[in-house]
Amino acid sequence: MSADPRTPAPGAAPPDPAALIRTSAYLKLLALAAVLGVLVSAAAYGFLALVAKLQSVTYEDLPRGLGFHGTPPWWPLPLLGVAGLLVGATIRYLPGTGGHEPSDGLSTTGAPSAVELPGVFLAALATLSLGAVLGPEAPLIVLGGGLAVLAVRRPGRAVPPQVVAVVGAAGSFAAVSTLLGSPLLGAFLLMEASGLGGPMLGAVLVPGLLAAGIGSLIFIGLGSWTGLGTYSLALSNVPPADRPDIAEFAWALVIGVAAALLGTGIRRAALLLRSRVERHRIPATVLMGLAVAGCTIVYTTATGKGAADVLYSGQTAMGPLLAGHAGYSVGALVLLVVCKALAYCASLSAFRGGPVFPAMFLGAVGGMALSHLAGLPLTAAFAMGIGGMSVALLRLPMTSVLLATLLLGGDGVTVMPLVIVSVAVAYVLTLWLGPRGEGPKPSAARS
C-alpha cells in the first residue's frame, strides 16, 4: 500500500472499497472499533465529569470552606495563576507539548505516543478545571486517539501504519462524538479538521454553500410572494417559524464581516502573544492566567454577573445566556464580548484546550448584542453569530454551519440559509485577511 491510503501508487489500480469491506480483516477492524468505542467514550465521559467536579470544588466549595459567603470577585486570580504554573511546567518538562496548540485552530495530527499522553491529560485538566477560556474537544480528540492506539499496540508486534491511523481516528471519533450534541456533527468536525477532503475542500464547499443558502432564501421569498410554496422537501403539521427576510439577509452579511474582523484580530493577537510565551514558558503562562482572571474581575465588578460568563469555554453557558437574555443590557453584552475575547486570546496563546466552544460563545453574545437593533430577531442573530465566529477561528465552513444550526433544533433549520451566508462571508474574508498561503491544510498523520 502507498504511504497515503487515499492516493494509489503510480500505475496501480485504485482500491475497491466494496472489496475491502467484504474482507474478514475489515470485519475484525469493525469489531475492534466497537470495543474501543465503549472504552474510549467511557474514559472521555470520566474526564469530563472530573473537570466539572474540579470546577465546582475550586470555584464554589473551596471559598465556602474557607469561610467566604459566595465566591469573592478576586478568587480567579490565584486559581488561574496556579493553572498557568501547572500548564507551563507540564509543557516544558513533560514529553510532547501538552497537546494541541489552540491558536492554530482545530486540526488533527494523528495519535500521540504513549509517553505524551500524561502531558496532554495534565495540561488539559489544569486548563479546563481552573478557568482558562478553552474547551475540551481538542484534548479529547488527542486523548481518544492516543488511548485507542495504545490499546492495539503490543511489545514486539508491529502494527501497520494504516491500522494505527484508522484505530486512532476511531478513538478520536468515540471521544468527541456526543460532546457536540450529535455524533454526525463530530464526524463532520473531524473530517474537515483532518483534511480528509484535501486542502481544496473549503474552496470547493463554500461556493456551493453560498449558492445553496441564497437559493433557499430565493425559494422562501418566491414561495411567500406567489403563494405557490417552495416545492422543497418538507413535513406537514409542523408548527410554523418566522422565515428569513431581506433585512435579515443584509444582517447576515454584516455579521459575517464583523465575525471575520473580530476572529482575525483574536487569532493574530494570540499568535503574537504565543511567540513571546514560548520564550519564557512558565512565567509567561502564569501571566496569561492572571490576564484571564483580570478580565473576569472587570466584567463581574462592572455588571454584577457571574464569573462563569467569562471563565471556561462557554459550552454550558450558552443555554442559560439565551434563556436569560432579557437580564442582559446591551452594555453588559458588549463588555462580555470584550472581556471574553481578551481572555480567549490570552488562553489561546499559552494554555491547552480546544478553540471551538469559546468561539461559539463569543459569536452568540455578539449576535445577542446586535439583536437589539432593528430588523434582526434574537434567534437568527444568535445562530449567525455562532456560525460566523466559529468559521473565523476554526476555518471549517461545513462544521460551522452545523454547529450553529443543529444547536437550535427546528429553529436552526429555519435560519440555516442566513447562517450559511454569514459563514461564507466570514470564511472568505478571514482567508483574505490572513497571511498568504494560510488556509485549511491536510494534517500530517503521525504513527
Side-chain angles (χ1 to χ4, degrees):
M1 296 180 69
S2 61
D4 184 350
R6 296 170 294 177
T7 306
D16 180 5
L20 174 65
I21 291 173
R22 286 193 292 264
T23 62
S24 60
Y26 189 81
L27 296 179
K28 292 177 182 177
L29 185 61
L30 289 180
L32 176 62
V35 173
L36 290 175
V38 173
L39 299 177
V40 172
S41 59
Y45 185 87
F47 176 77
L48 294 174
L50 177 60
V51 167
K53 181 62 177 178
L54 289 176
Q55 289 176 351
S56 176
V57 168
T58 53
Y59 278 92
E60 297 175 14
D61 299 343
L62 185 56
R64 282 200 300 266
L66 293 175
F68 292 102
H69 298 289
T71 304
W74 52 264
W75 191 256
L77 277 171
L79 292 185
L80 280 157
V82 170
L85 180 63
L86 293 175
V87 173
T90 298
I91 294 172
R92 180 168 180 179
Y93 295 114
L94 291 186
T97 59
H100 172 71
E101 281 279 5
S103 57
D104 289 332
L106 187 67
S107 59
T108 59
T109 55
S113 62
V115 74
E116 293 176 310
L117 289 176
V120 175
F121 175 82
L122 292 175
L125 189 65
T127 293
L128 302 174
S129 301
L130 297 178
V133 185
L134 290 170
E137 68 284 350
L140 284 181
I141 289 171
V142 176
L143 289 170
L147 289 174
V149 171
L150 184 63
V152 300
R153 279 184 167 152
R154 296 289 182 275
R157 188 182 74 178
V159 181
Q162 291 84 357
V163 174
V164 171
V166 172
V167 168
S172 295
F173 271 68
V176 80
S177 61
T178 56
L179 177 66
L180 299 170
S182 167
L184 180 62
L185 181 51
F188 271 104
L189 174 70
L190 289 176
M191 283 191 293
E192 275 197 295
S194 64
L196 289 179
M200 294 299 292
L201 177 64
V204 172
L205 277 180
V206 168
L209 275 174
L210 181 59
I214 293 176
S216 182
L217 287 169
I218 296 299
F219 264 52
I220 291 170
L222 287 175
S224 177
W225 178 57
T226 63
L228 298 176
T230 61
Y231 301 105
S232 301
L233 178 65
L235 299 176
S236 58
N237 301 320
V238 175
D242 293 335
R243 291 177 172 179
D245 56 25
I246 288 296
E248 292 170 45
F249 174 76
W251 274 115
L253 302 176
V254 172
I255 290 175
V257 171
L261 295 174
L262 178 58
T264 299
I266 290 172
R267 185 162 180 266
R268 285 191 173 185
L271 290 172
L272 183 64
L273 287 172
R274 172 179 146 188
S275 65
R276 286 152 175 76
V277 167
E278 289 171 343
R279 299 174 196 165
H280 311 282
R281 170 58 66 181
I282 295 178
T285 306
V286 172
L287 184 61
M288 290 300 101
L290 297 178
V292 174
C295 293
T296 306
I297 294 170
V298 169
Y299 172 75
T300 55
T301 303
T303 65
K305 301 292 185 182
D309 284 356
V310 177
L311 296 174
Y312 312 125
S313 68
Q315 175 189 358
T316 59
M318 278 186 285
L321 180 73
L322 183 59
H325 66 92
Y328 287 80
S329 66
V330 176
L333 291 171
V334 171
L335 183 60
L336 179 53
V337 168
V338 173
C339 292
K340 189 79 171 185
L342 292 174
Y344 184 29
C345 180
S347 300
L348 284 170
S349 70
F351 288 87
R352 289 296 183 264
V356 175
F357 292 118
M360 293 177 65
F361 185 84
L362 267 176
V365 176
M368 287 176 59
L370 289 173
S371 71
H372 287 267
L373 299 175
L376 184 56
L378 174 63
T379 302
F382 189 86
M384 287 188 286
I386 290 174
M389 279 302 299
S390 296
V391 81
L393 270 303
L394 307 178
R395 301 184 300 286
L396 304 175
M398 181 68 78
T399 299
S400 299
V401 171
L402 293 175
L403 282 170
T405 54
L406 293 182
L407 182 66
L408 296 174
D411 290 326
V413 175
T414 302
V415 299
M416 184 180 285
L418 299 172
V419 173
I420 288 174
V421 173
S422 66
V423 165
V425 171
Y427 179 72
V428 172
L429 185 54
T430 297
L431 294 187
W432 270 88
L433 294 172
R436 288 283 180 179
E438 183 183 63
K441 300 177 180 68
S443 301
R446 200 168 45 172
S447 62

mmCIF file of all heavy atoms in Angstrom, residues 24-70:
data_model
loop_
_atom_site.group_PDB
_atom_site.id
_atom_site.type_symbol
_atom_site.label_atom_id
_atom_site.label_comp_id
_atom_site.label_asym_id
_atom_site.label_seq_id
_atom_site.Cartn_x
_atom_site.Cartn_y
_atom_site.Cartn_z
ATOM 1 N N SER A 24 -12.454 -10.363 5.754
ATOM 2 C CA SER A 24 -12.578 -10.690 7.178
ATOM 3 C C SER A 24 -11.766 -9.726 8.032
ATOM 4 O O SER A 24 -12.139 -9.422 9.177
ATOM 5 C CB SER A 24 -12.110 -12.127 7.420
ATOM 6 O OG SER A 24 -10.754 -12.288 7.033
ATOM 7 N N ALA A 25 -10.653 -9.238 7.492
ATOM 8 C CA ALA A 25 -9.836 -8.286 8.251
ATOM 9 C C ALA A 25 -10.623 -7.014 8.554
ATOM 10 O O ALA A 25 -10.502 -6.433 9.646
ATOM 11 C CB ALA A 25 -8.562 -7.954 7.471
ATOM 12 N N TYR A 26 -11.441 -6.586 7.594
ATOM 13 C CA TYR A 26 -12.218 -5.366 7.814
ATOM 14 C C TYR A 26 -13.295 -5.603 8.876
ATOM 15 O O TYR A 26 -13.561 -4.731 9.711
ATOM 16 C CB TYR A 26 -12.860 -4.901 6.502
ATOM 17 C CG TYR A 26 -13.491 -3.529 6.602
ATOM 18 C CD1 TYR A 26 -12.709 -2.387 6.503
ATOM 19 C CD2 TYR A 26 -14.857 -3.381 6.807
ATOM 20 C CE1 TYR A 26 -13.272 -1.129 6.612
ATOM 21 C CE2 TYR A 26 -15.429 -2.122 6.913
ATOM 22 C CZ TYR A 26 -14.635 -1.005 6.808
ATOM 23 O OH TYR A 26 -15.193 0.240 6.928
ATOM 24 N N LEU A 27 -13.914 -6.784 8.861
ATOM 25 C CA LEU A 27 -14.916 -7.105 9.881
ATOM 26 C C LEU A 27 -14.282 -7.140 11.266
ATOM 27 O O LEU A 27 -14.885 -6.683 12.257
ATOM 28 C CB LEU A 27 -15.578 -8.443 9.562
ATOM 29 C CG LEU A 27 -16.399 -8.491 8.259
ATOM 30 C CD1 LEU A 27 -16.977 -9.892 8.061
ATOM 31 C CD2 LEU A 27 -17.520 -7.447 8.287
ATOM 32 N N LYS A 28 -13.062 -7.660 11.371
ATOM 33 C CA LYS A 28 -12.351 -7.647 12.647
ATOM 34 C C LYS A 28 -12.060 -6.214 13.091
ATOM 35 O O LYS A 28 -12.139 -5.891 14.284
ATOM 36 C CB LYS A 28 -11.056 -8.433 12.531
ATOM 37 C CG LYS A 28 -11.245 -9.935 12.330
ATOM 38 C CD LYS A 28 -9.911 -10.639 12.163
ATOM 39 C CE LYS A 28 -10.110 -12.132 11.921
ATOM 40 N NZ LYS A 28 -8.806 -12.826 11.689
ATOM 41 N N LEU A 29 -11.727 -5.355 12.109
ATOM 42 C CA LEU A 29 -11.461 -3.955 12.435
ATOM 43 C C LEU A 29 -12.719 -3.268 12.962
ATOM 44 O O LEU A 29 -12.663 -2.466 13.909
ATOM 45 C CB LEU A 29 -10.935 -3.231 11.191
ATOM 46 C CG LEU A 29 -10.500 -1.776 11.378
ATOM 47 C CD1 LEU A 29 -9.359 -1.688 12.373
ATOM 48 C CD2 LEU A 29 -10.097 -1.168 10.049
ATOM 49 N N LEU A 30 -13.879 -3.598 12.386
ATOM 50 C CA LEU A 30 -15.141 -3.040 12.874
ATOM 51 C C LEU A 30 -15.427 -3.497 14.304
ATOM 52 O O LEU A 30 -15.872 -2.706 15.143
ATOM 53 C CB LEU A 30 -16.293 -3.448 11.953
ATOM 54 C CG LEU A 30 -16.347 -2.799 10.572
ATOM 55 C CD1 LEU A 30 -17.542 -3.322 9.789
ATOM 56 C CD2 LEU A 30 -16.430 -1.278 10.688
ATOM 57 N N ALA A 31 -15.188 -4.771 14.570
ATOM 58 C CA ALA A 31 -15.402 -5.279 15.928
ATOM 59 C C ALA A 31 -14.475 -4.587 16.923
ATOM 60 O O ALA A 31 -14.884 -4.209 18.027
ATOM 61 C CB ALA A 31 -15.182 -6.792 15.960
ATOM 62 N N LEU A 32 -13.216 -4.394 16.511
ATOM 63 C CA LEU A 32 -12.254 -3.689 17.365
ATOM 64 C C LEU A 32 -12.710 -2.255 17.613
ATOM 65 O O LEU A 32 -12.629 -1.752 18.748
ATOM 66 C CB LEU A 32 -10.877 -3.718 16.716
ATOM 67 C CG LEU A 32 -9.776 -2.929 17.437
ATOM 68 C CD1 LEU A 32 -9.531 -3.495 18.834
ATOM 69 C CD2 LEU A 32 -8.490 -2.948 16.610
ATOM 70 N N ALA A 33 -13.204 -1.598 16.557
ATOM 71 C CA ALA A 33 -13.670 -0.215 16.698
ATOM 72 C C ALA A 33 -14.841 -0.129 17.674
ATOM 73 O O ALA A 33 -14.942 0.816 18.461
ATOM 74 C CB ALA A 33 -14.075 0.341 15.335
ATOM 75 N N ALA A 34 -15.728 -1.125 17.632
ATOM 76 C CA ALA A 34 -16.871 -1.131 18.550
ATOM 77 C C ALA A 34 -16.402 -1.243 20.000
ATOM 78 O O ALA A 34 -16.889 -0.529 20.887
ATOM 79 C CB ALA A 34 -17.821 -2.273 18.203
ATOM 80 N N VAL A 35 -15.450 -2.129 20.251
ATOM 81 C CA VAL A 35 -14.924 -2.293 21.611
ATOM 82 C C VAL A 35 -14.218 -1.021 22.066
ATOM 83 O O VAL A 35 -14.417 -0.538 23.191
ATOM 84 C CB VAL A 35 -13.972 -3.500 21.669
ATOM 85 C CG1 VAL A 35 -13.295 -3.580 23.031
ATOM 86 C CG2 VAL A 35 -14.717 -4.783 21.358
ATOM 87 N N LEU A 36 -13.388 -0.465 21.181
ATOM 88 C CA LEU A 36 -12.680 0.766 21.522
ATOM 89 C C LEU A 36 -13.652 1.914 21.757
ATOM 90 O O LEU A 36 -13.420 2.783 22.611
ATOM 91 C CB LEU A 36 -11.693 1.136 20.410
ATOM 92 C CG LEU A 36 -10.477 0.224 20.264
ATOM 93 C CD1 LEU A 36 -9.655 0.643 19.045
ATOM 94 C CD2 LEU A 36 -9.619 0.269 21.523
ATOM 95 N N GLY A 37 -14.762 1.926 21.001
ATOM 96 C CA GLY A 37 -15.762 2.972 21.196
ATOM 97 C C GLY A 37 -16.313 2.958 22.606
ATOM 98 O O GLY A 37 -16.505 4.015 23.225
ATOM 99 N N VAL A 38 -16.563 1.763 23.137
ATOM 100 C CA VAL A 38 -17.067 1.643 24.511
ATOM 101 C C VAL A 38 -16.025 2.158 25.507
ATOM 102 O O VAL A 38 -16.327 2.981 26.391
ATOM 103 C CB VAL A 38 -17.428 0.179 24.825
ATOM 104 C CG1 VAL A 38 -17.788 0.020 26.298
ATOM 105 C CG2 VAL A 38 -18.582 -0.279 23.947
ATOM 106 N N LEU A 39 -14.794 1.692 25.363
ATOM 107 C CA LEU A 39 -13.754 2.035 26.333
ATOM 108 C C LEU A 39 -13.382 3.514 26.277
ATOM 109 O O LEU A 39 -13.291 4.188 27.318
ATOM 110 C CB LEU A 39 -12.513 1.169 26.074
ATOM 111 C CG LEU A 39 -12.718 -0.347 26.201
ATOM 112 C CD1 LEU A 39 -11.430 -1.080 25.848
ATOM 113 C CD2 LEU A 39 -13.178 -0.710 27.599
ATOM 114 N N VAL A 40 -13.179 4.033 25.063
ATOM 115 C CA VAL A 40 -12.734 5.420 24.930
ATOM 116 C C VAL A 40 -13.834 6.397 25.319
ATOM 117 O O VAL A 40 -13.580 7.402 25.990
ATOM 118 C CB VAL A 40 -12.246 5.681 23.482
ATOM 119 C CG1 VAL A 40 -11.977 7.166 23.270
ATOM 120 C CG2 VAL A 40 -10.985 4.880 23.199
ATOM 121 N N SER A 41 -15.075 6.121 24.921
ATOM 122 C CA SER A 41 -16.154 7.028 25.274
ATOM 123 C C SER A 41 -16.374 7.052 26.786
ATOM 124 O O SER A 41 -16.663 8.113 27.365
ATOM 125 C CB SER A 41 -17.443 6.643 24.549
ATOM 126 O OG SER A 41 -17.835 5.316 24.877
ATOM 127 N N ALA A 42 -16.221 5.901 27.450
ATOM 128 C CA ALA A 42 -16.332 5.876 28.910
ATOM 129 C C ALA A 42 -15.213 6.695 29.552
ATOM 130 O O ALA A 42 -15.443 7.443 30.518
ATOM 131 C CB ALA A 42 -16.294 4.433 29.419
ATOM 132 N N ALA A 43 -13.996 6.571 29.012
ATOM 133 C CA ALA A 43 -12.877 7.358 29.537
ATOM 134 C C ALA A 43 -13.104 8.849 29.305
ATOM 135 O O ALA A 43 -12.817 9.683 30.185
ATOM 136 C CB ALA A 43 -11.574 6.908 28.874
ATOM 137 N N ALA A 44 -13.634 9.217 28.138
ATOM 138 C CA ALA A 44 -13.910 10.629 27.843
ATOM 139 C C ALA A 44 -14.974 11.177 28.780
ATOM 140 O O ALA A 44 -14.867 12.309 29.273
ATOM 141 C CB ALA A 44 -14.361 10.775 26.385
ATOM 142 N N TYR A 45 -16.001 10.378 29.032
ATOM 143 C CA TYR A 45 -17.050 10.806 29.962
ATOM 144 C C TYR A 45 -16.472 11.025 31.363
ATOM 145 O O TYR A 45 -16.793 11.998 32.046
ATOM 146 C CB TYR A 45 -18.161 9.767 30.009
ATOM 147 C CG TYR A 45 -19.342 10.172 30.856
ATOM 148 C CD1 TYR A 45 -20.385 10.919 30.313
ATOM 149 C CD2 TYR A 45 -19.420 9.811 32.199
ATOM 150 C CE1 TYR A 45 -21.468 11.289 31.090
ATOM 151 C CE2 TYR A 45 -20.492 10.184 32.985
ATOM 152 C CZ TYR A 45 -21.517 10.926 32.425
ATOM 153 O OH TYR A 45 -22.577 11.313 33.200
ATOM 154 N N GLY A 46 -15.611 10.106 31.782
ATOM 155 C CA GLY A 46 -14.978 10.252 33.089
ATOM 156 C C GLY A 46 -14.120 11.505 33.172
ATOM 157 O O GLY A 46 -14.106 12.205 34.197
ATOM 158 N N PHE A 47 -13.403 11.817 32.086
ATOM 159 C CA PHE A 47 -12.582 13.025 32.058
ATOM 160 C C PHE A 47 -13.448 14.276 32.197
ATOM 161 O O PHE A 47 -13.137 15.184 32.983
ATOM 162 C CB PHE A 47 -11.774 13.071 30.766
ATOM 163 C CG PHE A 47 -10.964 14.326 30.583
ATOM 164 C CD1 PHE A 47 -9.786 14.508 31.277
ATOM 165 C CD2 PHE A 47 -11.391 15.332 29.721
ATOM 166 C CE1 PHE A 47 -9.042 15.678 31.123
ATOM 167 C CE2 PHE A 47 -10.658 16.492 29.553
ATOM 168 C CZ PHE A 47 -9.472 16.658 30.265
ATOM 169 N N LEU A 48 -14.543 14.340 31.446
ATOM 170 C CA LEU A 48 -15.426 15.499 31.522
ATOM 171 C C LEU A 48 -16.074 15.620 32.894
ATOM 172 O O LEU A 48 -16.251 16.730 33.417
ATOM 173 C CB LEU A 48 -16.493 15.405 30.427
ATOM 174 C CG LEU A 48 -15.988 15.514 28.994
ATOM 175 C CD1 LEU A 48 -17.126 15.248 28.005
ATOM 176 C CD2 LEU A 48 -15.375 16.881 28.733
ATOM 177 N N ALA A 49 -16.445 14.483 33.488
ATOM 178 C CA ALA A 49 -17.032 14.516 34.832
ATOM 179 C C ALA A 49 -16.012 15.024 35.849
ATOM 180 O O ALA A 49 -16.354 15.781 36.772
ATOM 181 C CB ALA A 49 -17.521 13.125 35.214
ATOM 182 N N LEU A 50 -14.757 14.604 35.707
ATOM 183 C CA LEU A 50 -13.705 15.068 36.609
ATOM 184 C C LEU A 50 -13.500 16.579 36.474
ATOM 185 O O LEU A 50 -13.361 17.286 37.483
ATOM 186 C CB LEU A 50 -12.404 14.324 36.303
ATOM 187 C CG LEU A 50 -11.171 14.746 37.114
ATOM 188 C CD1 LEU A 50 -11.399 14.529 38.608
ATOM 189 C CD2 LEU A 50 -9.935 13.971 36.634
ATOM 190 N N VAL A 51 -13.494 17.075 35.237
ATOM 191 C CA VAL A 51 -13.341 18.517 35.011
ATOM 192 C C VAL A 51 -14.484 19.289 35.673
ATOM 193 O O VAL A 51 -14.266 20.294 36.364
ATOM 194 C CB VAL A 51 -13.282 18.826 33.505
ATOM 195 C CG1 VAL A 51 -13.441 20.319 33.246
ATOM 196 C CG2 VAL A 51 -11.964 18.329 32.909
ATOM 197 N N ALA A 52 -15.717 18.831 35.466
ATOM 198 C CA ALA A 52 -16.871 19.510 36.054
ATOM 199 C C ALA A 52 -16.800 19.510 37.577
ATOM 200 O O ALA A 52 -17.117 20.518 38.232
ATOM 201 C CB ALA A 52 -18.166 18.853 35.578
ATOM 202 N N LYS A 53 -16.390 18.385 38.161
ATOM 203 C CA LYS A 53 -16.281 18.303 39.615
ATOM 204 C C LYS A 53 -15.216 19.260 40.138
ATOM 205 O O LYS A 53 -15.432 19.965 41.150
ATOM 206 C CB LYS A 53 -15.951 16.869 40.011
ATOM 207 C CG LYS A 53 -15.837 16.652 41.517
ATOM 208 C CD LYS A 53 -17.147 16.957 42.224
ATOM 209 C CE LYS A 53 -17.053 16.658 43.721
ATOM 210 N NZ LYS A 53 -18.311 17.009 44.421
ATOM 211 N N LEU A 54 -14.068 19.312 39.481
ATOM 212 C CA LEU A 54 -12.998 20.205 39.926
ATOM 213 C C LEU A 54 -13.393 21.665 39.772
ATOM 214 O O LEU A 54 -13.016 22.503 40.608
ATOM 215 C CB LEU A 54 -11.717 19.905 39.144
ATOM 216 C CG LEU A 54 -11.018 18.589 39.484
ATOM 217 C CD1 LEU A 54 -9.811 18.375 38.576
ATOM 218 C CD2 LEU A 54 -10.588 18.580 40.944
ATOM 219 N N GLN A 55 -14.135 21.999 38.724
ATOM 220 C CA GLN A 55 -14.625 23.367 38.585
ATOM 221 C C GLN A 55 -15.511 23.752 39.766
ATOM 222 O O GLN A 55 -15.403 24.846 40.319
ATOM 223 C CB GLN A 55 -15.401 23.517 37.274
ATOM 224 C CG GLN A 55 -14.535 23.489 36.027
ATOM 225 C CD GLN A 55 -15.349 23.534 34.753
ATOM 226 O OE1 GLN A 55 -16.582 23.419 34.786
ATOM 227 N NE2 GLN A 55 -14.683 23.690 33.620
ATOM 228 N N SER A 56 -16.395 22.851 40.137
ATOM 229 C CA SER A 56 -17.295 23.102 41.265
ATOM 230 C C SER A 56 -16.518 23.213 42.579
ATOM 231 O O SER A 56 -16.779 24.097 43.400
ATOM 232 C CB SER A 56 -18.336 21.987 41.355
ATOM 233 O OG SER A 56 -19.159 22.146 42.481
ATOM 234 N N VAL A 57 -15.549 22.319 42.777
ATOM 235 C CA VAL A 57 -14.769 22.332 44.020
ATOM 236 C C VAL A 57 -13.961 23.609 44.144
ATOM 237 O O VAL A 57 -13.938 24.255 45.202
ATOM 238 C CB VAL A 57 -13.854 21.095 44.078
ATOM 239 C CG1 VAL A 57 -12.817 21.227 45.193
ATOM 240 C CG2 VAL A 57 -14.675 19.831 44.292
ATOM 241 N N THR A 58 -13.271 24.009 43.068
ATOM 242 C CA THR A 58 -12.346 25.138 43.155
ATOM 243 C C THR A 58 -13.045 26.495 43.198
ATOM 244 O O THR A 58 -12.551 27.420 43.846
ATOM 245 C CB THR A 58 -11.363 25.122 41.971
ATOM 246 O OG1 THR A 58 -12.108 25.047 40.741
ATOM 247 C CG2 THR A 58 -10.426 23.928 42.057
ATOM 248 N N TYR A 59 -14.186 26.628 42.527
ATOM 249 C CA TYR A 59 -14.836 27.935 42.460
ATOM 250 C C TYR A 59 -16.073 28.064 43.354
ATOM 251 O O TYR A 59 -16.588 29.171 43.520
ATOM 252 C CB TYR A 59 -15.217 28.266 41.016
ATOM 253 C CG TYR A 59 -14.053 28.819 40.227
ATOM 254 C CD1 TYR A 59 -13.233 27.979 39.488
ATOM 255 C CD2 TYR A 59 -13.761 30.179 40.243
ATOM 256 C CE1 TYR A 59 -12.158 28.477 38.784
ATOM 257 C CE2 TYR A 59 -12.683 30.682 39.549
ATOM 258 C CZ TYR A 59 -11.878 29.835 38.818
ATOM 259 O OH TYR A 59 -10.810 30.335 38.132
ATOM 260 N N GLU A 60 -16.540 26.966 43.942
ATOM 261 C CA GLU A 60 -17.719 27.049 44.806
ATOM 262 C C GLU A 60 -17.443 26.468 46.197
ATOM 263 O O GLU A 60 -17.602 27.157 47.208
ATOM 264 C CB GLU A 60 -18.903 26.323 44.150
ATOM 265 C CG GLU A 60 -19.346 26.954 42.839
ATOM 266 C CD GLU A 60 -20.426 26.145 42.150
ATOM 267 O OE1 GLU A 60 -21.018 25.254 42.801
ATOM 268 O OE2 GLU A 60 -20.680 26.379 40.956
ATOM 269 N N ASP A 61 -17.027 25.219 46.252
ATOM 270 C CA ASP A 61 -16.846 24.560 47.544
ATOM 271 C C ASP A 61 -15.675 25.141 48.334
ATOM 272 O O ASP A 61 -15.778 25.353 49.552
ATOM 273 C CB ASP A 61 -16.633 23.055 47.348
ATOM 274 C CG ASP A 61 -17.818 22.385 46.684
ATOM 275 O OD1 ASP A 61 -18.905 22.994 46.677
ATOM 276 O OD2 ASP A 61 -17.668 21.258 46.168
ATOM 277 N N LEU A 62 -14.550 25.386 47.676
ATOM 278 C CA LEU A 62 -13.356 25.848 48.371
ATOM 279 C C LEU A 62 -13.554 27.220 49.028
ATOM 280 O O LEU A 62 -13.225 27.381 50.220
ATOM 281 C CB LEU A 62 -12.165 25.865 47.416
ATOM 282 C CG LEU A 62 -10.812 26.217 48.026
ATOM 283 C CD1 LEU A 62 -10.462 25.283 49.175
ATOM 284 C CD2 LEU A 62 -9.712 26.177 46.956
ATOM 285 N N PRO A 63 -14.085 28.234 48.324
ATOM 286 C CA PRO A 63 -14.288 29.519 49.019
ATOM 287 C C PRO A 63 -15.267 29.416 50.188
ATOM 288 O O PRO A 63 -15.070 30.068 51.220
ATOM 289 C CB PRO A 63 -14.801 30.451 47.919
ATOM 290 C CG PRO A 63 -15.208 29.577 46.795
ATOM 291 C CD PRO A 63 -14.384 28.341 46.899
ATOM 292 N N ARG A 64 -16.323 28.596 50.049
ATOM 293 C CA ARG A 64 -17.247 28.424 51.171
ATOM 294 C C ARG A 64 -16.550 27.727 52.343
ATOM 295 O O ARG A 64 -16.772 28.064 53.505
ATOM 296 C CB ARG A 64 -18.460 27.620 50.720
ATOM 297 C CG ARG A 64 -19.475 28.425 49.929
ATOM 298 C CD ARG A 64 -20.837 27.742 49.927
ATOM 299 N NE ARG A 64 -20.776 26.420 49.325
ATOM 300 C CZ ARG A 64 -21.045 26.156 48.047
ATOM 301 N NH1 ARG A 64 -21.409 27.151 47.233
ATOM 302 N NH2 ARG A 64 -20.955 24.928 47.574
ATOM 303 N N GLY A 65 -15.704 26.754 52.013
ATOM 304 C CA GLY A 65 -14.976 26.053 53.063
ATOM 305 C C GLY A 65 -14.009 26.948 53.809
ATOM 306 O O GLY A 65 -13.681 26.686 54.975
ATOM 307 N N LEU A 66 -13.547 28.001 53.148
ATOM 308 C CA LEU A 66 -12.635 28.951 53.787
ATOM 309 C C LEU A 66 -13.372 30.078 54.507
ATOM 310 O O LEU A 66 -12.742 31.007 55.015
ATOM 311 C CB LEU A 66 -11.675 29.536 52.745
ATOM 312 C CG LEU A 66 -10.679 28.538 52.133
ATOM 313 C CD1 LEU A 66 -9.868 29.196 51.032
ATOM 314 C CD2 LEU A 66 -9.751 27.973 53.214
ATOM 315 N N GLY A 67 -14.704 30.016 54.532
ATOM 316 C CA GLY A 67 -15.475 30.985 55.293
ATOM 317 C C GLY A 67 -16.033 32.152 54.503
ATOM 318 O O GLY A 67 -16.646 33.059 55.080
ATOM 319 N N PHE A 68 -15.870 32.156 53.174
ATOM 320 C CA PHE A 68 -16.425 33.239 52.362
ATOM 321 C C PHE A 68 -17.906 32.979 52.081
ATOM 322 O O PHE A 68 -18.336 31.833 51.953
ATOM 323 C CB PHE A 68 -15.678 33.355 51.034
ATOM 324 C CG PHE A 68 -14.255 33.817 51.176
ATOM 325 C CD1 PHE A 68 -13.201 32.902 51.085
ATOM 326 C CD2 PHE A 68 -13.962 35.148 51.407
ATOM 327 C CE1 PHE A 68 -11.896 33.314 51.217
ATOM 328 C CE2 PHE A 68 -12.640 35.572 51.535
ATOM 329 C CZ PHE A 68 -11.615 34.645 51.446
ATOM 330 N N HIS A 69 -18.680 34.046 51.997
ATOM 331 C CA HIS A 69 -20.079 33.930 51.613
ATOM 332 C C HIS A 69 -20.145 34.108 50.088
ATOM 333 O O HIS A 69 -20.188 35.222 49.567
ATOM 334 C CB HIS A 69 -20.929 34.989 52.308
ATOM 335 C CG HIS A 69 -20.916 34.857 53.798
ATOM 336 N ND1 HIS A 69 -21.555 33.829 54.462
ATOM 337 C CD2 HIS A 69 -20.314 35.602 54.774
ATOM 338 C CE1 HIS A 69 -21.366 33.949 55.758
ATOM 339 N NE2 HIS A 69 -20.620 35.021 55.986
ATOM 340 N N GLY A 70 -20.129 33.000 49.372
ATOM 341 C CA GLY A 70 -20.053 33.056 47.915
ATOM 342 C C GLY A 70 -18.606 33.129 47.474
ATOM 343 O O GLY A 70 -17.663 33.064 48.273
#
